[in-house]
C-alpha cells in the first residue's frame, strides 16, 4: 500500500522556489561573466542587476527587495523597497547582491559571485548600505564562544581551545583594507595564519562553515552590511555563528537605519536576528573561486554555470552544475 505524505502548502512552495532562485543567480552570473575582464565594474554590475531583475519578475511571489543596490534615488534597479515577482504567491523578503566582487569580475580575478537570499516577509534585517562589524565561526561550537567586542587574540585563543588545537593551527580571514591594520597585526601576533582577501566577504564568511575543506576557521573585520545579511542567510542554512553590528557613525546613517526599523544602533545581531525565519540562499560563480567555478563559455554556445543553493528548513545544500544551450535563442540574458 502506498503512503501519501503531505507537505504543508507553504513548504511545498518554498521547495519549488529553491530551483527558481537558482535560475535567478545563474542568469545574473552569465550576464556579468560576459563582461569579465573588461575593466568595466559598473557595466558588469548593471548587466547582473538587469538579468536578476528580469528573472525575479517571473517568480510566483510577492517579493520586496530589502537588501539591494542602494536606495531608490541612486539605483535604477533592485533598490531597497522595490517590488518583484508576478504579484501572486507568498510575501517574501529578498536580499540581492547581483555581482558580489565587481572589481574581481572586472579584472577577471577569482571569487566574484551572483547571490541572493529569500525569506518570509518581514524576517530579514533591513540593513542600510553601511559598514558592519562582523565575526563568524563554523558550526559545532558553544553559542557565544566568540565575542564581537573581545580582542582578536582572545577570540582566537577561545576558538583554538574549543577546537583542541594550538593557535598556530587556526586560520583567520580578513578583508585586506588599511582600516584593518590593527586587526591584522593583532591576529598575526597570536601566531595564527591570516588569509587576506581583496573583496568578497559573503563567500569569506561562508568559508568558516566548512573549515575542513576551506581551511578557514574564523572571519573578522568590517565589510558591507548588505553582504553581512546575505552571509547570515547562508549560515542560517548550513550552521555556524556570526555576530555583527551596524557601523552608524553619522547622524545621517543613524536616521536612515532608524527609518528602516533599527531602534538600537549598537545592537549586536546574531544570525537569528538578521534572518528571523526560514530562508533560501543561492550563489552562482561568475569568476572561478574556491567555493564555486566561474561561468564557462564553451563550444557551440554551451554556457556552464556552477551554483550552490541552500534551504534552512532542511539544511540541504545542493551544488548545481548546469549546461545552458538556448540562452541566445530565447533572448534570456
Ligand atoms: C566587502 C566585500 C565586497 O565591499 O563587503 C566590501 O565583500 C566592503 O567595502 O565585495 P569596502 O570595499 O569599502 O571595504 C566589497 O569589496 C565590494 O562590494
Amino acid at each position: 500500500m502506498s503512503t501519501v505524505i503531505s507537505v504543508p502548502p507553504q513548504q511545498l512552495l518554498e521547495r519549488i522556489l529553491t530551483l527558481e532562485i537558482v535560475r535567478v543567480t545563474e542568469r545574473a552570473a552569465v550576464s556579468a561573466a560576459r563582461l569579465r575582464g573588461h575593466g568595466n565594474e559598473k557595466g558588469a554590475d548593471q548587466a547582473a542587476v538587469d538579468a536578476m531583475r528580469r528573472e525575479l519578475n517571473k517568480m510566483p511571489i510577492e517579493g520586496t527587495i530589502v537588501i539591494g543596490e542602494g536606495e531608490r534615488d541612486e539605483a535604477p534597479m533592485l533598490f531597497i523597497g522595490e517590488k518583484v515577482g508576478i504579484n501572486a504567491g507568498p510575501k517574501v523578503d529578498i536580499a540581492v547582491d547581483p555581482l558580489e566582487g565587481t572589481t574581481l569580475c572586472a579584472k577577471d580575478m577569482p571569487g566574484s559571485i551572483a547571490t541572493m537570499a529569500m525569506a518570509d516577509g518581514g524576517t530579514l534585517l533591513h540593513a542600510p548600505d553601511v559598514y558592519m562589524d562582523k565575526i563568524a565561526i563554523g558550526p559545532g561550537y558553544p553559542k557565544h564562544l566568540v565575542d564581537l567586542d573581545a580582542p582578536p587574540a582572545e577570540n582566537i585563543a577561545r576558538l583554538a581551545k574549543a577546537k583542541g588545537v594550538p593557535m598556530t593551527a587556526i586560520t583567520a580571514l580578513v578583508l585586506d583594507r588599511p582600516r584593518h591594520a590593527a586587526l591584522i597585526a593583532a591576529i598575526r601576533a597570536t601566531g595564527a595564519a591570516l588569509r587576506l582577501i581583496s573583496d568578497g566577504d559573503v563567500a569569506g564568511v561562508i568559508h568558516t562553515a566548512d573549515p575542513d575543506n576551506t581551511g578557514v576557521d574564523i572571519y573578522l573585520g568590517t565589510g558591507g552590511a548588505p553582504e553581512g545579511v546575505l552571509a547570515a542567510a547562508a549560515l542560517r542554512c548550513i550552521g555556524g555563528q556570526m555576530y555583527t553590528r551596524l557601523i552608524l557613525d553619522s547622524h545621517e546613517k543613524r536616521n536612515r537605519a532608524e527609518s528602516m526599523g533599527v531602534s538600537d544602533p549598537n545592537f549586536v545581531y546574531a544570525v537569528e536576528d538578521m534572518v528571523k525565519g526560514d530562508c533560501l540562499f543561492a550563489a552562482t560563480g561568475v569568476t572561478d573561486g574556491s567555493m564555486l567555478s566561474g561561468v564557462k563559455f564553451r563550444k557551440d554556445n554551451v554556457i556552464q554555470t556552477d551554483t550552490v543553493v541552500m534551504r534552512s528548513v532542511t539544511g540541504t545544500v545542493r551544488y548545481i552544475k548546469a549546461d545552458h544551450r538556448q540562452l541566445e535563442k530565447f533572448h534570456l540574458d
Side-chain angles (χ1 to χ4, degrees):
M1 214 174 76
S2 68
T3 322
V4 177
I5 302 169
S6 73
V7 181
Q10 180 64 36
Q11 275 194 32
L12 185 69
L13 201 59
E14 211 191 301
R15 291 179 77 197
I16 296 165
L17 292 176
T18 310
L19 188 55
E20 292 297 308
I21 71 166
V22 171
R23 291 199 169 94
V24 176
T25 57
E26 280 178 351
R27 290 289 155 73
V30 170
S31 293
R34 290 193 195 284
L35 290 170
R36 76 212 175 284
H38 285 216
N40 179 1
E41 301 186 7
K42 277 214 161 85
D45 195 37
Q46 188 67 54
V49 169
D50 291 348
M52 193 171 258
R53 185 171 196 256
R54 208 166 43 231
E55 289 306 312
L56 283 170
N57 279 329
K58 293 176 190 166
M59 290 184 72
I61 52 168
E62 265 184 61
T64 306
I65 302 291
V66 301
I67 298 285
E69 294 274 300
E71 330 265 313
R72 181 186 290 264
D73 298 341
E74 53 195 58
M77 286 176 175
L78 292 178
F79 53 82
I80 297 169
E82 182 172 340
K83 302 289 177 201
V84 292
I86 61 169
N87 204 22
K91 283 191 175 29
V92 292
D93 278 358
I94 296 173
V96 299
D97 198 344
L99 183 54
E100 153 69 331
T102 45
T103 309
L104 300 174
C105 176
K107 294 183 176 174
D108 198 10
M109 283 167 61
S112 60
I113 56 174
T115 184
M116 71 167 281
M118 184 182 284
D120 286 336
T123 62
L124 283 185
L125 174 65
H126 296 201
D129 193 0
V130 296
Y131 283 112
M132 182 184 244
D133 240 326
K134 310 175 190 178
I135 188 166
I137 57 170
Y141 294 111
K143 281 252 165 235
H144 297 287
L145 178 73
V146 291
D147 178 345
L148 192 61
D149 293 314
E154 194 179 318
N155 282 320
I156 289 174
R158 286 190 207 167
L159 180 60
K161 189 162 176 237
K163 194 176 177 182
V165 298
M167 288 207 273
T168 50
I170 295 293
T171 301
L173 190 122
V174 172
L175 272 170
D176 194 4
R177 295 289 186 276
R179 66 175 180 271
H180 288 152
L183 172 65
I184 288 170
I187 294 170
R188 289 212 167 115
T190 67
L194 180 61
R195 190 179 301 178
L196 290 167
I197 53 169
S198 69
D199 290 285
D201 74 345
V202 176
V205 169
I206 295 173
H207 275 55
T208 63
D210 187 13
D212 290 345
N213 284 308
T214 62
V216 176
D217 298 290
I218 182 165
Y219 175 92
L220 295 140
T222 64
E227 287 89 343
V229 176
L230 277 157
L235 293 197
R236 173 116 205 171
C237 300
I238 48 178
Q241 297 179 44
M242 184 180 181
Y243 301 97
T244 67
R245 183 190 286 118
L246 295 168
I247 301 180
L248 302 169
D249 51 8
S250 72
H251 247 317
E252 194 246 321
K253 288 180 196 169
R254 276 192 295 276
N255 286 343
R256 214 159 79 220
E258 205 183 322
S259 72
M260 294 170 106
V262 176
S263 49
D264 176 1
N266 295 312
F267 192 81
V268 175
Y269 298 93
V271 168
E272 308 74 47
D273 301 311
M274 289 182 277
V275 186
K276 295 205 184 84
D278 289 319
C279 70
L280 303 172
F281 172 91
T284 302
V286 176
T287 54
D288 281 338
S290 52
M291 190 167 74
L292 296 162
S293 298
V295 175
K296 299 283 165 1
F297 297 94
R298 303 261 196 230
K299 210 165 159 269
D300 300 328
N301 288 324
V302 175
I303 300 170
Q304 285 187 331
T305 55
D306 189 17
T307 302
V308 61
V309 62
M310 312 173 184
R311 191 167 171 248
S312 70
V313 175
T314 51
T316 309
V317 179
R318 293 183 171 84
Y319 285 88
I320 301 182
K321 283 198 184 286
D323 283 356
H324 307 266
R325 295 174 199 286
Q326 308 276 356
L327 290 187
E328 315 278 352
K329 184 172 161 194
F330 292 106
H331 303 292
L332 289 176
D333 71 300

